[in-house]
């Protein structure tokens, strides 16, 4: 990741100059785009970036739980009662609400800079293979009629959708380059986890900060029956895109996606080949 040579104050001033132009052209303001996904959890001195189509709902449910359950409960000697069905439903319902989180972009410039430069804060981002991320966004957002991309609508083929996608630089956050969000150009992240290895990567972070129990239990609405671990929770956003790559991609479509999102492939060390049963080599 490259870092900016100017201060966050200079960055924000430059963004504010462009804000009116961005608004008039219908594009998201630069400040909004750059900082999308970055959420702070002061109780753990944790900055975590979870982007749309990158297990965002699950990660944001976890963030809500960490903020709303007392920090002391996660000590090694504590016995934490299982959350009620109402609590779990509330985390699920509110996880995507902006006001439910403390977003980095909403903080004063000096506070952003303090967090970005403070080595005692753990900074974690989760990224995804661009091939499966784009397919998942198509299956959930476009095919269900939630979002259109140019002329691509719910009736459009994946090939036509990709043509419309690659023809545009300004995109909804579900389709935008991951390297253009999370404030990657300012924040030096300690950990860049991958959705393909989410279970191991997230457990590593949770173990380091002392909330492993919040990953392993407390998520079943029918406790003690049902699966209780965070990553076994089903959400309405799932598309199983990783299992459907060969169904939708041809070599030609893959080449288009690779060229358009080359920055993400390079920045996060994803291979240009279409993912198979084991999606990615670790690097």
């Amino acid at each position: 990741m490259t870092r900016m040579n100017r201060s966050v104050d200079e960055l924000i001033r430059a963004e504010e100059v462009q804000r009116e132009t961005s608004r008039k052209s219908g594009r998201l303001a630069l400040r909004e785009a750059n900082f999308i996904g970055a959420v702070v959890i002061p109780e753990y001195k944790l900055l975590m970036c979870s982007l749309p189509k990158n297990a965002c709902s699950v990660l944001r449910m976890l963030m809500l739980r960490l903020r709303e359950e007392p920090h002391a409960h996660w000590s090694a000697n504590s016995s934490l009662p299982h959350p009620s069905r109402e609590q779990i439903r509330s985390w699920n319902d509110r996880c995507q609400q902006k006001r439910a989180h403390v977003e980095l972009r909403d903080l004063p410039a000096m506070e952003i800079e303090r967090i970005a430069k403070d080595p005692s804060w753990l900074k974690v981002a989760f990224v995804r293979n661009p091939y499966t991320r784009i397919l998942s966004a198509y299956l959930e957002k476009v095919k269900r009629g939630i979002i259109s991309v140019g002329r691509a609508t719910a009736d459009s083929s994946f090939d036509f959708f990709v043509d419309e996608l690659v023809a545009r630089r300004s995109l909804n956050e579900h389709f935008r380059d991951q390297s253009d969000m999370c404030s990657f150009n300012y924040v030096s992240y300690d950990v860049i986890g991958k959705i393909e290895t989410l279970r191991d990567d997230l457990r590593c972070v949770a173990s380091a900060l002392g909330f492993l129990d919040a990953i392993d239990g407390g998520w079943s609405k029918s406790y003690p029956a049902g699966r209780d671990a965070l990553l076994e929770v089903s959400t309405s956003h799932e598309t199983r895109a990783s299992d459907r790559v060969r169904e939708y991609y041809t070599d030609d479509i893959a080449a288009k996606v690779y060229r358009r999102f080359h920055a993400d492939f390079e920045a996060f060390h994803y291979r240009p080949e279409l993912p198979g049963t084991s999606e990615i080599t670790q690097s």
Side-chain angles (χ1 to χ4, degrees):
M1 280 303 115
T2 57
R3 296 192 63 189
M4 299 192 67
N5 294 322
R6 48 186 176 160
S7 71
V8 71
D9 301 271
E10 292 173 313
L11 170 65
I12 291 172
R13 280 200 296 272
E15 291 162 352
E16 288 171 348
V17 169
Q18 299 183 38
R19 189 181 298 272
E20 185 62 27
T21 303
S22 298
R23 187 181 297 113
K24 288 179 179 178
S25 65
R27 293 178 299 163
L28 203 59
L30 179 57
R31 174 185 170 89
E32 295 292 304
N34 184 53
F35 285 83
I36 280 175
V39 172
V40 298
I41 307 173
E43 295 83 351
Y44 289 86
K45 302 188 80 172
L46 172 64
L47 168 62
M48 182 181 291
C49 189
S50 63
L51 294 172
K53 303 315 304 172
N54 292 8
C56 181
S57 295
V58 168
L59 291 173
R60 289 192 169 226
M61 284 194 295
L62 173 63
M63 292 182 207
L64 276 179
R65 184 178 186 182
L66 294 179
R67 292 200 61 225
E68 294 181 359
E69 286 190 335
H71 189 185
H73 280 189
W74 299 113
S75 66
N77 298 320
S78 174
S79 177
L80 184 67
H82 194 281
S84 67
R85 177 180 297 185
E86 290 71 24
Q87 282 178 301
I88 298 170
R89 183 178 293 112
S90 174
W91 294 329
N92 197 325
D93 291 343
R94 293 184 296 121
C95 68
Q96 296 293 355
Q97 295 178 7
K98 186 177 184 298
R99 65 178 180 273
H101 302 279
V102 180
E103 299 200 19
L104 187 67
R105 57 184 168 179
D106 292 333
L107 298 177
M110 290 186 64
E111 182 69 2
I112 294 174
E113 185 157 24
R114 184 188 68 80
I115 292 172
K117 294 183 176 179
D118 187 343
S120 68
W121 277 70
L122 184 65
K123 304 164 186 79
V124 181
F126 286 95
V127 298
R128 184 176 185 177
N129 189 310
Y131 289 129
T132 57
R133 182 171 186 263
I134 291 305
L135 177 56
S136 182
Y138 166 75
L139 292 172
E140 186 206 350
K141 300 302 180 183
V142 178
K143 292 301 287 180
R144 295 178 187 177
I146 299 171
I147 299 174
S148 60
V149 177
R151 295 172 296 159
T153 62
D155 296 326
S156 300
S157 68
F158 185 56
D159 192 8
F160 183 77
F161 158 74
V162 168
D163 284 341
E164 291 294 293
L165 189 69
V166 301
R168 287 162 173 77
R169 299 306 303 175
S170 180
L171 294 168
N172 175 279
E173 62 199 60
H174 292 83
F175 312 102
R176 183 176 291 127
D177 308 64
Q178 297 168 85
S179 50
D180 284 346
M181 299 184 281
C182 285
S183 60
F184 279 121
N185 61 346
Y186 185 74
V187 176
S188 180
Y189 281 88
D190 302 298
V191 177
I192 297 182
K194 293 179 175 177
I195 297 308
E196 296 78 17
T197 53
L198 178 60
R199 187 179 303 275
D200 290 342
D201 295 349
L202 187 57
R203 285 180 59 83
C204 181
V205 171
S207 179
L209 294 183
F211 58 83
L212 195 56
D213 286 348
I215 305 293
D216 291 340
W219 296 98
S220 173
K221 295 178 184 177
S222 55
Y223 182 82
R227 296 182 175 182
D228 204 37
L230 172 67
L231 297 184
E232 294 172 341
V233 172
S234 178
T235 74
S236 61
H237 302 281
E238 295 172 5
T239 63
R240 302 197 65 82
S242 298
D243 299 328
R244 305 177 71 180
V245 169
R246 299 292 174 177
E247 179 184 346
Y248 284 90
Y249 274 97
T250 63
D251 289 344
D252 181 58
I253 296 173
K256 295 174 187 176
V257 170
Y258 181 76
R259 287 193 298 269
R260 171 60 182 81
F261 295 97
H262 184 260
D264 283 357
F265 282 96
E266 287 292 308
F268 307 124
H269 306 289
Y270 282 103
R271 297 178 61 84
E273 297 85 3
L274 281 172
T277 50
S278 61
E279 283 211 328
I280 182 169
T281 58
Q282 297 302 299
S283 55

